[in-house]
Amino acid sequence: MRLPVSSRPLQAARHAVWLVAGLGLLALVVLWAGRSGLALAALQEASPAFLLPALLPAAAAPVAHAWRWQRMLLALDQALPLRAALRATVAATIANYAVPGYAWAPVKGLVARQAYGVGLPRSAPTLAVEQALDAGALILGGGLGLLLMPGLAAQAQFQPPKGMLWLGLPAGAALIALAALRRSGRFVTHLAALRSSGRQLLGSRALYPWLASLTLARLVCDLVSFWLVAAALGLRLDPAQLLLLASLPALAGLAVPIPGGLGVREGGVVAVGTLLGLPAGPLAEAALLHRAVLLAGLPLALITFSIAPRSRP
């Protein structure tokens, strides 16, 4: 939907404010990491025995994400090669660093439509379900961590962010707005198609095991990569600490409209880790390095996936 000219500067200003806020938080984390004169040395001395293997789960996570999306599209009779699903997923993930946090799903829908001919009425329900599954997995991880450390919730007076209940709504709302195309007749047609696709998706019981297993696989990949990055810096996290550090900050990053959750996730790692009694400096280093590892995993997944089929006879 094309915005009125008068509203574009205001929207751009809002986006700039959120981006500056996120970068400010990220800068604060960098300062935390650099409080000690040994911070840079610690990064340089990160153990390759742990750091290099961290790239493997970081590359496997987008594959699991793309595979889950492909299975949902297949349930809607929309065939899409896994390689194409992976490319769209990686493109949307990278674009998330340039657009407000909730725009990730519409970007993925637009990439799928423009590059692979997947109609928005088909992709919109799958993208909304993806948002809900990702948030649900992080809530589950954080909840398990709190169960293992019940005293932490009371100490921190933990409360879910107010925007948490709306995590799954912005993507669907944005895609419906895009489908309207400023013409009410077409809007009604697209809305009917969206409802039909949504009912078909939710009614596909055979899809549920796929959704559960691939969502769990993606969560495990994130947990393993974070543990390996922390271990590379000399931090040995127990299961409760790992679940809390890898889940709660990421959940906060989903709940705010800051591109890529920049600064929010890293600051959340430091805040949660401090409550756990862990040193802030190494935590900040681990958060920054984990972000770099996740980004490095995206092209690694594409390269590996493009080479692997060629090696087959």
Side-chain angles (χ1 to χ4, degrees), residues 133-147:
L133 288 174
D134 290 341
L138 293 174
I139 291 172
L140 175 63
L144 288 175
L146 290 173
L147 286 176

Side-chain angles (χ1 to χ4, degrees), residues 51-67 86 89-90 217-218 221-222 224-225 228 290 292-305:
L51 189 57
L52 292 180
L55 290 170
L56 298 179
V63 175
H65 195 177
W67 194 3
L86 178 60
T89 298
V90 170
R218 188 187 179 200
C221 286
D222 289 341
V224 172
S225 64
L228 288 170
H290 185 236
V293 166
L294 292 179
L295 287 173
L298 297 175
L300 180 59
L302 285 177
I303 294 171
T304 303
F305 214 78

Side-chain angles (χ1 to χ4, degrees), residues 36 59 65 68-69 80 121 123 141-142 147 161 187-188 206 216 221 229 233 246 248-249 256 289:
S36 169
H65 195 177
R68 184 183 66 185
W69 184 46
L80 185 69
S123 65
L147 286 176
F187 174 76
V188 172
L216 180 61
C221 286
V229 167
L233 296 173
L248 295 183
V256 296
L289 191 55

Side-chain angles (χ1 to χ4, degrees), residues 124-285:
T126 66
L127 299 173
V129 171
E130 278 197 313
Q131 295 276 73
L133 288 174
D134 290 341
L138 293 174
I139 291 172
L140 175 63
L144 288 175
L146 290 173
L147 286 176
L148 293 174
M149 300 188 70
L152 180 64
Q155 176 185 350
Q157 296 181 345
F158 174 76
Q159 293 181 348
K162 293 181 179 180
M164 196 66 64
L165 296 177
W166 305 99
L167 283 174
L169 298 182
L175 288 170
I176 290 174
L178 286 172
L181 297 175
R182 298 187 304 171
R183 295 179 62 179
S184 60
R186 297 185 68 178
F187 174 76
V188 172
T189 301
H190 282 290
L191 186 57
L194 281 169
R195 288 175 178 171
S196 176
S197 296
R199 285 194 297 266
Q200 185 178 350
L201 182 64
L202 296 177
S204 180
R205 302 288 179 174
L207 178 65
Y208 289 9
W210 284 97
L211 297 182
S213 59
L214 290 172
T215 300
L216 180 61
R218 188 187 179 200
L219 177 63
V220 170
C221 286
D222 289 341
L223 292 173
V224 172
S225 64
F226 190 92
W227 188 90
L228 288 170
V229 167
L233 296 173
L235 292 172
R236 296 297 188 269
L237 304 176
D238 61 38
Q241 292 172 333
L242 176 61
L243 285 166
L244 291 169
L245 288 171
S247 300
L248 295 183
L251 191 60
L254 283 179
V256 296
I258 293 179
L262 284 172
V264 177
R265 293 181 62 167
E266 290 78 8
V269 168
V270 175
V272 173
T274 301
L275 290 174
L276 296 173
L278 298 172
L283 280 172
E285 295 165 10

